[in-house]
Structure formats: C-alpha cells, structure tokens
Amino acid sequence: IASVGAPRYGITEDAGTPAALPADHLSHVRKQRPFDGSYTVAACDPSGNCAELSPIRVDLESQARMEAVRAEIMASSSLLAALIGPLSGQALQQRRSFLEGRQGQSVASEHLTLTDDPWIPGGLGSRRFDGEGIAARPRPIVERGALRDYFLDTYYARKLGRKPTGGSPSNLVVVPGSTSFADVLEAAEGGILVTSFLGGNSDPTTGDYSFGIQGHRIEGGEIGEPVSEMNITGGLPGLLQRLTVVGDDPYPYASMLVPTLTFDDVQFSGL
C-alpha cells in the first residue's frame, strides 16, 4: 500500500499550471477544477512546470468501492501520527502504550529512521526550548527500526524515574530514501495510493487501528481508477515492520516531514 497524505497536494482553481514551487521541491500536485470537484493528478518540477501523471479526468462522484483485499499501500504522515500517543510519557506511566519497555528494541522495519529535530531553519515546529523551558535538541526517536527515545515532560519523567526529554514533538522527520514517486508507483503494482484519510482511530495500548481512506488503484505503474468508502485495519506493530520502501519526496511545509511510504500486506475492507 502506498499513501500520499493530503498536504502533499497543491490546489489550483482551474486546470492550469500551479504557481512555481521552491527550487528544492519536487511535488505531486492535485489540480482542482472549480464547482464539480473533479481533478487530475500531476507531478511538478522545481520550476513549477507540471505533467499529468494520469491522463484521465477523475470525477469524485465516480469513485468506486472495492472488494475486501490485502494489498500494498502508499501512505505518508497520517499513519505515523498514530505513533505520537504511544510515545508519550503519560501513556507509558499509565501503561497504555504498546511501546512500553521497547527502548533499544526493533519496533519497525530497518527502512524507518524517525528523528525529532527542533533546529530546522524555518521549520514549522522549530524551537529553542519547549513549553516547560527544557532545551530542545535533535534526537533520534526510531533509528533503523530500533526505538531510541520517548517524549517525556517533567511530570511524567519524574513519575517514571527518568530524565525529561520534552513532552511533545517539534519537527518529526523521516529520513528520505532514494526512490522517486514514479518508481514507487511502478513497484506497487496492484496496490492502493491513499490520497486522504477519512477519520478513524488507533488504540495506543495495543496498536490496533482502523482508518477510512480514499485514493486510487495502482495499475500498470500509474494512478488508476479512484476508490473510496474503504477502511484499512490491523495493528501498528505489524504494519511498521512491513514498511518496504521510503520515497525521496518529503513534503516540506509541515512539522511532520514524511515522504511517500509503502507498506506491504495491508487489510482493506470494502464491499
């Protein structure tokens, strides 16, 4: 399964070329037509010149429901956001985290390295200290799949008998891989490209999750027909271990800098 979160898309009011993007940014852009909600999907180079990834015009009203299936999924920050709760000092102290006692152990695929970096120039989560005055510094949270640290404020760190590290994330950064979006699409044949999540929840104690999604089938290495009214279900511990590809395309305008991620063997429920 491959997923691209909603922030990865720029929106235009017509089918024309979007405004130029920053010189270091290669983006996947959803070009919106007014009133009818239909769109096409395009890739843009650093100058803002766009080429459609799919020649078809997608009508949101034509989105189909799929049969239940296990498939690859392409996704981004929305799935990793479910990790923040189980990493908190409150969840650890109250024994409501599936990551309790796992520091130093493998909790994800070796493809995943996640850092908390408050020193990114101009970063939306950048800071010199947190709300309690604790000095901020870059630190690994997950390193090549191994859990390195938690988010501990002074209150819960004292209860746990540990040193505080800061109770909330700043800029969460997944270290990008070297695979382009086009190559990810080609490798995820028969999978689902998730373009947005439609609510859902996860249990921090067990890691069980259920999220509504919409997106597209991946057919012939390209974006295919749209799908909607689908759920993905499973457990985060297993899902993180099935991360197979990390893209090279993190979206830079958020405090979670996450590229396209591909997870294998994800359960979809539909018709």
Side-chain angles (χ1 to χ4, degrees), residues 154-265:
T154 54
Y155 178 79
Y156 285 106
R158 185 168 61 251
K159 280 183 168 291
L160 291 165
R162 301 171 61 117
K163 293 182 179 180
T165 61
S168 61
S170 57
N171 300 298
L172 283 178
V173 182
V174 171
V175 176
S178 58
T179 307
S180 69
F181 181 74
D183 289 340
V184 173
L185 274 180
E186 185 174 357
E189 174 65 27
I192 305 296
L193 171 67
V194 175
T195 56
S196 60
F197 287 84
L198 309 175
N201 58 78
S202 63
D203 184 342
T205 305
T206 63
D208 292 342
Y209 65 85
S210 176
F211 297 113
I213 63 101
Q214 66 180 15
H216 298 264
R217 292 180 185 267
I218 301 171
E219 301 170 331
E222 297 181 350
I223 297 172
E225 69 171 339
V227 294
S228 188
E229 299 183 41
M230 301 287 296
N231 285 335
I232 59 171
T233 57
L236 285 173
L239 180 73
L240 293 172
Q241 294 287 357
R242 297 195 299 275
L243 173 64
T244 57
V245 179
V246 177
D248 65 355
D249 57 346
Y251 180 76
Y253 308 116
S255 59
M256 292 190 69
L257 307 180
V258 182
T260 299
L261 306 174
T262 300
F263 299 87
D264 196 14
D265 195 28

